[in-house]
Amino acid sequence: MIISADTDNMMRLLSQVILADGHIHKSELIAFVSGVQELGLADQSGAVLSADQIRAWFEGYKLELNKTWSTQAKDVALTHLILSLAEWPNKQAVVDVLAKISVSDAEFHIEEKTLISIVRAYWQYEGLDAPGATIVT
């Protein structure tokens, strides 16, 4: 499966809400798969990712996180990730998926709430989806 950098970054961002509290619940992974499909994330050929492809990507990402020593602080890496997706066309849908994943384990941890708040803040959420709106840097 070959995916674009934007798709990979979006999946990385969505996975952060799963990883935020240090526990990976089956219900969160199910919500992650559903969310990726709800957002219509696709491979390079334009085919929407299957549940199996999404789960395989997540397993690979977990392995990558366990093997890789980041040269950036976690908060700096998260900032770069969020800003790399600043031009994503439907930010409300992304925030909705993040919220769905965060409550899928019947708990809403402060780390998850903080992550969603950070995403909204960095994307200057209010009004950013308006035509012609841009992020001021």
Side-chain angles (χ1 to χ4, degrees):
M1 164 183 74
I2 300 173
I3 58 174
S4 70
D6 282 346
T7 296
D8 187 63
N9 284 343
M10 181 55 70
M11 291 173 72
R12 287 171 184 261
L13 178 61
L14 296 175
S15 70
Q16 295 308 301
V17 78
I18 297 172
L19 304 170
D21 65 359
H23 304 284
I24 299 172
H25 298 281
K26 183 177 180 179
S27 58
E28 291 174 319
L29 188 53
I30 291 168
F32 173 73
V33 169
S34 175
V36 168
Q37 291 178 323
E38 182 179 321
L39 292 173
L41 299 184
D43 63 19
Q44 287 288 73
S45 70
V48 174
L49 298 175
S50 71
D52 288 341
Q53 289 173 315
I54 297 165
R55 283 190 290 273
W57 178 92
F58 185 77
E59 289 305 315
Y61 183 55
K62 283 191 327 188
L63 290 174
E64 178 185 328
L65 290 175
N66 288 332
K67 291 180 182 177
T68 306
W69 285 90
S70 177
T71 57
Q72 295 179 325
K74 186 178 178 180
D75 58 339
V76 173
L78 180 61
T79 299
H80 284 285
L81 179 61
I82 294 167
L83 292 177
S84 76
L85 297 165
E87 301 303 320
W88 196 264
N90 189 348
K91 291 171 190 65
Q92 179 63 54
V94 174
V95 171
D96 290 347
V97 168
L98 286 168
K100 287 176 189 176
I101 295 169
S102 70
V103 298
S104 64
D105 63 351
E107 298 177 6
F108 190 40
H109 297 279
I110 189 67
E111 298 90 352
E112 296 164 343
K113 183 177 182 179
T114 301
L115 173 67
I116 294 169
S117 295
I118 290 169
V119 169
R120 292 171 66 107
Y122 276 112
W123 281 349
Q124 297 178 6
Y125 189 78
E126 295 302 323
L128 193 56
D129 287 323
T134 59
I135 289 189
V136 179
T137 54

